[in-house]
Each structure stands twice: as structure tokens, then as C-alpha cells.
Amino acid sequence: MVRAKREPRSGGKLHGFAGGRSARYSAFELVRHGMRHGEWPRVWRECDLRSTYDVVVVGAGIHGLATAYYLATNHGMSRVAVLDRGYVGGGNSGRNTAIVRSNYLTPEGVRFYDRSVELYEHLSADLNFNIMFSQRGHLTLAHSDASLRTMAWRAEVNKLEGIDSSVIGPEEIKRLVPYLDVSDGTRYPVLGALYHPPGGTVRHDAVNWGYARGADARGVEIHQRTEVLGIDVEGGKVTGVRTDRGRISAPVVVNCTAGHATLVSDMVGVRMPVITHPLQAAVTEPVKVFLDAVVVSGTLHVYVSQTDRGELVFGASTDPFASYSMRGSLEFTEELAGHVLELMPALSRMRLLRQWAGLCDMTPDFSPIMGVTPVEGFLVDVGWGTYGYKAGPVAGETMAELIATGRTPELISPFGLDRFGEGRLVGEKGAASVGH
Ligand code: PYC
């Protein structure tokens, strides 16, 4: 059964991107403020670091900010500090391709990411901040009988979980994406696709800023340029963190970092089964909007979407070596261009504007690691491989519930660290960068 499309919750008033926690501007005032930059109020405060908090969140990306936001909003916990050695959204939360979808392969994954899609659907209204969530539809192409079978398998799991997802053929694909070459004579013929209408993209910076502003408005403190140097543990329990701005006492510390998740967990001696690989992406010059869907080819290791500004955003598979480097490479550009042109030959004269890399903390089963650890008070929300951005809202919501109630929510119970020791892996082959 395919669930009816959810209506975004009404009643939230969008007050635009204006700063100020409860600012309301008329159109005229917005223009006036826009012309005079100095007058814009700060979107979140700069606070002195206190010596004690109830919760310290390490990492001011979407996961850390969402955790803090839901702690304050859903559980009334606002003695919370979010620390980041850089700036809000300056890590992987600003280095992704902002794709949102829930058409995974495992029932555990599908349920989890579907809750995220649901939260994204209401997030502009909840945060009173336009996150530009565009549910334009998501197509995963199949170029072989084997991958067509995997798409059919995913579609069936998706439908059983109430997700709008089905396998469609080349004619329907051509109708949805006229620029795609679905002819017979290509090297990688398009035999079909997994079509997931609720999938799409968000404006990732807006999500980061919206959560930061919402958390700050509820009393959470966001401390940028504050590096965690160590985490103190006494008698098997967390007692606080040492930072380059001083020590903080706290009974709960949550590791919400990406790219360096193992280094923070190492501070308390909890080893994470994570290997970090770069994933490169690139964006073109803007052109008139012609691409109405997100198009993915697992076989060709490429995905493409078009932003509202008209740029094409491309991403690839993870680089085949472990590294913390975020430099782009010529190999990536050459391969990307070759693969994109296999799919859409008409793009041959488009120019790339820039490229970047994010760091993917890959786990052995392509599922995240969430929940408690052997050190009391040290929680993790890490191992986000190629699926972190889309999971931000649900990860924040469930981690906040765990911290506030001490009970692990059902949605994240499959993703505990203990699964690796107990052999309960959640092999998520619907994740990007996993061979189909
Ligand atoms: O899961 O859709 C995805 C994705 C695309 C790029 C990285 N992950």
C-alpha cells in the first residue's frame, strides 16, 4: 500500500531569512534591512562558556544542532552547549549534495529515513525558516538485469513500509527526465529505475542555520571555534570535557561529529568500527532549469540534481582509499564527466564551477552507529557514511529522546554499537556508494 502524500502542516508563518528570533518584517522593511547590512540582528548569540551544562554536544553540524534543538523543544532541556572547533555547518553539513530520500533496502533503514522525510516536510514551518525542501522525485537507474532485480527488491520493501516507490521503465523515465539518453545503443543502457516521488533536495545551509537559530532561541548555547581537547571519565562515567577555552563539567557528552568521529570517541577509549573516505562532488555554472528530478546511477557512480539557481550538482562514489583529505582530484573530474555524458550527452558544453569533498565515516554495514556506549554518559551519533544529511532531523529527534528519557527509541535500536560485537549487522545496500 502506498501512503497518501503527507500535507505539510499548516499554520507556520514564514518570516523569510531575516535575522532575529521573532523578527517579522514587511516587504518594505526587508528591502530596507537588505540594503543596510549593519542593522541585521545576530541569528544566534555569542555566549561565554559556562563551567557546567547538563549536556555537551560535540559538533555543530545538522546532527548536533538538531539534537540540541529537539532536547530544548521536545524535552525542555536547554542547559545544553553545542561545541565546534570550526563554525556552524562548516563540516560535512556544508559538504554534501543535500539529497533527501527514504527508499532504502532494509526495513530498519526505510522506517528511520522515512521519519526524516516526514520531519523535513514540516521543517520550514517548525523552524520558521525556509529550508527550500523540494520533493521533486528521485530516480535510481538500473543498467543491468541484476540491478533491476535489486530495484524491484527495494521497491517491495519500500511499499511494505508505506513508502511511495516503484520500478518504472524507460518510457516513463524519459517522460520525467527528457534529457536522459534512454536509447538502446548506449554502453550502459537504461533498463528501468526505482522511482521515489517524495525524494528531493534541501538547501543544506538553511537547515543548519534554522536549527541553530531555533536551538538558540530556546536557550541552547552554540560555541563556535571551541575545540574539544579531551573528555574526562571517572569510574566509567563521563564527567566533562576539556576545551581550548576551559573545562566544562557535564554528565552527558554526545559525539555528533562527522569525518573525525573516531578521534572524538578515542578520547574516552571507545573504538568505532569506522573508516573515513572522502567523497567528491562538483557544481556547474547555472543554466535554465531543465532537470526536475534527482537522477542517480549506482553503476556509473554518479548522481545529479539541479538547484533552484540552475547549477547542476554532481556527486560520485567515495574515493577508494581512506583519507581525511578534502581536496578535489583530476581523476574525479574526468570520471564524472565521462559518466555524466553517458547519461546526458547534451551536457557536453557545460562548465564546472567548483568541486569539493566531504568525509564519509563508513561502517562495515553502511548503517550509522547511534546510542549508548560502554562509557556511561558518552553517547554517539556517528558513522554517517553517505547518508548523514538526510538523517539529520530524525537523528536529532531520536538522540534527544534517548538523552532525555534514558530509553533508546525503537527507530534507532537496530543501530547500536553493540551490534558489531553481537553480529546483528544491518546491511544497508540502499546506501549511496554501495554496489548494486
Ligand atoms: O544517499 O542519496 C544518497 C546520497 C547521495 C550522495 C551521497 N549520498
Side-chain angles (χ1 to χ4, degrees), residues 96-101 103-104 113 138 154 200 279 294 296 303 315-316 360 384-390 430-433:
N96 53 76
T97 46
I99 295 172
V100 174
R101 64 186 176 91
N103 58 351
Y104 280 78
Y113 292 100
H138 182 282
R154 271 171 73 176
L279 188 152
V294 180
V296 179
Y303 34 88
C360 299
W384 283 107
T386 59
Y387 22 91
Y389 207 82
K390 60 182 66 54
S433 279

Side-chain angles (χ1 to χ4, degrees), residues 236-301:
K237 289 186 190 172
V238 160
T239 57
V241 300
R242 276 167 283 129
T243 79
D244 58 359
R245 291 172 60 200
R247 187 180 186 280
I248 302 168
S249 298
V252 177
V253 174
V254 195
N255 179 0
C256 287
T257 59
H260 298 85
T262 47
L263 304 179
V264 174
S265 293
D266 282 351
M267 291 178 183
V268 293
V270 173
R271 300 282 313 273
M272 288 291 141
V274 159
I275 299 183
T276 302
H277 290 252
L279 188 152
Q280 299 191 45
V283 72
T284 66
E285 61 189 337
V287 291
K288 194 169 170 181
V289 172
F290 70 93
L291 181 61
D292 276 343
V294 180
V295 179
V296 179
S297 166
T299 308
L300 293 176
H301 300 300

Side-chain angles (χ1 to χ4, degrees), residues 174-194:
K174 186 75 181 169
R175 193 185 64 72
L176 292 166
V177 189
Y179 278 77
L180 201 66
D181 185 359
V182 299
S183 61
D184 288 340
T186 59
R187 187 162 171 207
Y188 299 97
V190 175
L191 302 184
L194 182 67

Side-chain angles (χ1 to χ4, degrees), residues 269-349:
V270 173
R271 300 282 313 273
M272 288 291 141
V274 159
I275 299 183
T276 302
H277 290 252
L279 188 152
Q280 299 191 45
V283 72
T284 66
E285 61 189 337
V287 291
K288 194 169 170 181
V289 172
F290 70 93
L291 181 61
D292 276 343
V294 180
V295 179
V296 179
S297 166
T299 308
L300 293 176
H301 300 300
V302 67
Y303 34 88
V304 50
S305 65
Q306 190 168 20
T307 68
D308 296 326
R309 277 198 297 243
E311 303 144 330
L312 293 177
V313 179
F314 300 121
S317 182
T318 49
D319 284 342
F321 45 82
S323 170
Y324 290 132
S325 162
M326 291 190 281
R327 294 171 65 169
S329 69
L330 184 59
E331 289 90 333
F332 158 77
T333 321
E334 280 184 323
E335 253 180 47
L336 176 80
H339 289 168
V340 167
L341 294 181
E342 289 282 346
L343 298 176
M344 296 190 204
L347 303 191
S348 63
R349 297 180 62 187

Side-chain angles (χ1 to χ4, degrees), residues 17-35:
F17 280 67
R21 278 169 268 152
S22 57
R24 287 166 188 245
Y25 296 110
S26 68
F28 175 73
E29 283 169 324
L30 267 179
V31 173
R32 193 169 62 84
H33 273 288
M35 310 281 277

Side-chain angles (χ1 to χ4, degrees), residues 125-146:
D126 289 348
L127 298 177
N128 185 20
F129 203 100
N130 187 358
I131 63 154
M132 298 168 77
F133 183 30
S134 163
Q135 292 182 286
R136 57 187 61 186
H138 182 282
L139 288 155
T140 313
L141 305 176
H143 303 282
S144 66
D145 289 342

